[in-house]
């Protein structure tokens, strides 16, 4: 059985996840060619190698075309429609929609609005769509059957937003982390973004602070934008084979959901990209991450 372990010792964000999975062996060409099926404003993907506290890692950025700036907002239903019409395989579509639904429901609850009316600023929508769909494509490419993750540090402190002074973790982030083990951290910064919270809470079948008993095949490091003191700001993705996990190992937490990871696909490839995001998910906060949620929530990449 093919297993993925997400080691979130420095938190998790959308761009860090994409980069870590690509660095661990996900097919970039497949990811890039499939992403072209999305009907979005022009953007470019950039990949580059960086060093974070002595650790070499892959950095992934989505760069918008300045000649064709986004001009409108997207609602949750618009994003669902774009993903469904793209023609991805069933696994990629299902994972992508599940992650976006997680975000939409959390934002809707926090702001007391129905899911279909959750509003994403255009820039944030493009960045989040790419991060989330690219993550699903990477999982598909790696042919992962089961996913585990470590406890997740969220960060602490406060952030000034349009609604006033908000705590870290952001309300929507914390909402999505219900049922997920949280790790302590001394960093008074946002360690886990809303997109990162949605990804790990949806994808992980179980959580365990330690590697499962498996044979390691590949390791990937995905870099965040920020530099942390005395700690590499990276997400580590570890891929391996674990036949005995079919009946043996029991992690400390049985997560409240499960999903099938079986699939098949044909890959046609070609591409290259990078990202330093401006995410507007319209929720009134700026998090030192250039991600916004129409409640102006800048998050996700400058983690």
């Amino acid at each position: 059985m093919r297993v993925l372990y997400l080691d979130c010792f420095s938190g998790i964000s959308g761009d860090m996840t994409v980069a870590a999975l690509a660095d661990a062996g996900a097919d970039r060409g497949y990811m890039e060619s499939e992403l072209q099926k999305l009907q979005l404003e022009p953007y470019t993907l950039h990949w580059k190698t960086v060093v974070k506290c002595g650790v070499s890692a892959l950095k992934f950025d989505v760069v918008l075309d300045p000649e064709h700036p986004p001009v409108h907002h997207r609602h949750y239903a618009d994003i669902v429609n774009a993903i469904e019409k793209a023609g991805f395989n069933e696994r990629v579509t299902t994972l992508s929609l599940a992650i976006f639904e997680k975000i939409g429901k959390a934002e809707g609850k926090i702001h007391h609005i129905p899911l279909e009316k959750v509003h994403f600023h255009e820039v944030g929508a493009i960045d989040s769509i790419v991060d989330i769909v690219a993550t699903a494509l990477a999982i598909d490419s790696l042919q992962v059957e089961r996913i585990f993750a470590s406890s997740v540090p969220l960060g602490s402190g406060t952030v000034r937003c349009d609604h006033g002074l908000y705590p870290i973790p952001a309300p929507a982030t914390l909402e999505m982390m219900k049922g997920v083990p949280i790790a302590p951290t001394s960093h008074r910064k946002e360690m886990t973004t809303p997109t990162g919270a949605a990804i790990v809470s949806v994808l992980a079948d179980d959580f365990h602070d330690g590697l499962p008993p498996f044979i390691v095949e590949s390791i990937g490091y995905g870099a965040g934008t920020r530099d942390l003191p005395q700690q590499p700001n990276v997400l580590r993705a570890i891929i391996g084979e674990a036949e005995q996990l079919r009946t043996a190992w029991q992690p400390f937490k049985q997560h409240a959901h499960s999903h099938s990871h079986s699939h098949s696909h044909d890959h046609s490839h070609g591409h290259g990209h990078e990202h330093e995001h401006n995410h507007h998910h319209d929720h009134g906060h700026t998090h030192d991450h250039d991600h916004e949620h129409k409640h102006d929530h800048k998050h996700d990449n400058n983690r």
Side-chain angles (χ1 to χ4, degrees), residues 140-170:
D140 188 51
S141 168
L142 290 165
Q143 302 183 44
V144 170
E145 297 173 78
R146 198 164 183 199
I147 300 173
F148 299 99
S150 66
S151 298
V152 184
L154 304 184
S156 64
T158 56
V159 60
R160 179 70 61 179
C161 65
D162 288 349
H163 297 288
L165 197 64
Y166 268 36
I168 295 173

Side-chain angles (χ1 to χ4, degrees), residues 129-303:
I129 291 170
V130 173
D131 282 354
I132 289 167
V133 174
T135 294
L137 289 165
I139 295 295
D140 188 51
S141 168
L142 290 165
Q143 302 183 44
V144 170
E145 297 173 78
R146 198 164 183 199
I147 300 173
F148 299 99
S150 66
S151 298
V152 184
L154 304 184
S156 64
T158 56
V159 60
R160 179 70 61 179
C161 65
D162 288 349
H163 297 288
L165 197 64
Y166 268 36
I168 295 173
T173 298
L174 192 58
E175 179 69 24
M176 288 184 279
M177 294 299 286
K178 285 180 177 177
V180 175
I182 294 170
T185 177
S186 61
H187 296 295
R188 292 184 62 79
K189 301 175 183 296
E190 183 180 60
M191 304 291 288
T192 293
T193 65
T195 301
I199 287 171
V200 74
S201 63
V202 169
L203 292 187
D205 296 299
D206 288 299
F207 294 84
H208 194 272
D209 284 334
L211 297 177
F214 69 157
I215 298 172
V216 175
E217 294 185 346
S218 64
I219 305 161
Y221 294 89
T225 300
R226 168 187 295 136
D227 290 320
L228 297 175
Q230 300 181 326
Q231 180 175 332
N233 185 22
V234 300
L235 171 69
R236 181 162 63 174
I238 306 167
I239 308 293
E241 282 291 334
E243 271 308 308
Q244 64 269 40
L245 276 181
R246 294 188 186 279
T247 56
W249 191 65
Q250 291 297 314
F252 77 77
K253 177 181 182 300
Q254 292 295 323
H255 200 42
H257 72 272
S258 63
H259 43 267
S260 169
H261 290 294
S262 60
H263 68 290
S264 62
H265 52 266
D266 264 327
H267 291 169
S268 46
H269 322 332
H271 280 62
H273 311 49
E274 189 179 335
H275 88 266
E276 198 101 275
H277 304 31
N278 272 330
H279 272 120
H280 289 72
H281 267 123
D282 292 342
H283 294 74
H285 332 3
T286 51
H287 277 35
D288 199 51
H289 291 73
D290 304 343
H291 258 71
E292 284 186 357
H293 258 93
K294 185 53 208 169
H295 305 237
D296 295 274
H297 208 155
K298 286 189 178 171
H299 61 275
D300 219 32
N301 285 7
N302 298 336
R303 260 246 48 254

